[in-house]
Amino acid sequence: MDLAGLLVFATALFIAAASPGPGIAAIVARVLGRGPQGAIAFSIGVALGDVVWLTFAILGLAAIAQAFHGIFLVIKYAGAAYLLYIAYKLWTAPAETLDAGAETAAERPSRLLLGGLALTLGNPKPIVFYLALLPTILDLTQVTLLGYAELVAATFAVLAVVFAIYIGLASRARRLFTSPKALRILNKSTGAVMAGAAAAIAAR
């Protein structure tokens, strides 16, 4: 794929990914409520979901995706349920555990990765970008195997930058909350944000 096409794709993806949505809300709320531990695994899962939709778009499988609408509906609700689970944990966790980060450290990276993947597969924002907007940006019928690999690499690179920025900002903001009262407020606020992201996904 030519450099100009990659730059157009990367720019469009950066703008779409950086704009707040359920995925970004989930990552930020997670970091605010539990610290940066586990955020990388969760973000990788989110990025893998983007690659799945990119693959569907390039292979022209939008119609197949519609045919398997029921499966993706189950995945969507599974992602929403996972966010609600995290929201519940954040809402009910004592302030001390948030500061220590013990609960986060105990979570399995594979579980976090699958949670991020389910979130993206059920999130309407990346679906619209890859299946509706991307064909207007690139001629997907001309994408070669090498071009596909370049697009996947660009996707991971762009999302890594966007997620790193949000994780870094959320980590800095979290350090401002040091008292138990402030941590409890942060805990419940981020739990509410996570529940809102789950509702936004389930309602679409």
Side-chain angles (χ1 to χ4, degrees), residues 70-90:
I71 294 177
F72 285 104
L73 197 63
V74 171
I75 294 174
K76 178 176 79 169
Y77 288 123
Y82 178 76
L83 292 183
L84 284 176
Y85 167 76
I86 296 177
Y88 170 77
K89 287 292 187 180
L90 288 170

Side-chain angles (χ1 to χ4, degrees), residues 5-108:
L6 272 178
L7 288 176
V8 169
F9 169 74
T11 301
L13 178 59
F14 182 86
I15 294 172
S19 61
I24 292 297
I27 291 172
V28 170
R30 177 176 186 83
V31 175
L32 286 174
R34 295 186 172 187
Q37 301 95 333
I40 293 179
F42 187 78
S43 299
I44 290 175
V46 173
L48 285 175
D50 274 62
V51 171
V52 170
W53 288 120
L54 171 66
T55 304
F56 268 65
I58 291 176
L59 295 179
L61 299 179
I64 294 180
Q66 288 294 327
F68 288 92
H69 175 71
I71 294 177
F72 285 104
L73 197 63
V74 171
I75 294 174
K76 178 176 79 169
Y77 288 123
Y82 178 76
L83 292 183
L84 284 176
Y85 167 76
I86 296 177
Y88 170 77
K89 287 292 187 180
L90 288 170
W91 188 272
T92 59
E96 311 87 79
T97 59
L98 288 176
D99 190 52
E103 186 177 349
T104 304
E107 289 184 286
R108 295 179 181 177

Side-chain angles (χ1 to χ4, degrees), residues 11 17 41 63 127 145 179:
T11 301
I127 296 174
L145 185 59
S179 70

Side-chain angles (χ1 to χ4, degrees), residues 140-162:
L140 300 180
T141 62
Q142 302 300 316
V143 176
T144 63
L145 185 59
L146 176 60
Y148 169 72
E150 291 171 341
L151 288 173
V152 170
T155 298
F156 279 123
V158 169
L159 294 181
V161 171
V162 172

Side-chain angles (χ1 to χ4, degrees), residues 108-132:
R108 295 179 181 177
S110 59
R111 184 174 171 184
L112 293 169
L113 189 147
L114 289 175
L117 176 62
L119 169 64
T120 306
L121 291 181
N123 185 355
K125 183 181 171 184
I127 296 174
V128 170
F129 176 79
Y130 289 105
L131 298 187

Side-chain angles (χ1 to χ4, degrees), residues 95 98-99 177-188:
L98 288 176
D99 190 52
F177 297 84
T178 55
S179 70
K181 180 179 179 181
L183 285 173
R184 279 193 295 271
I185 293 174
L186 177 63
N187 184 24
K188 294 187 182 300

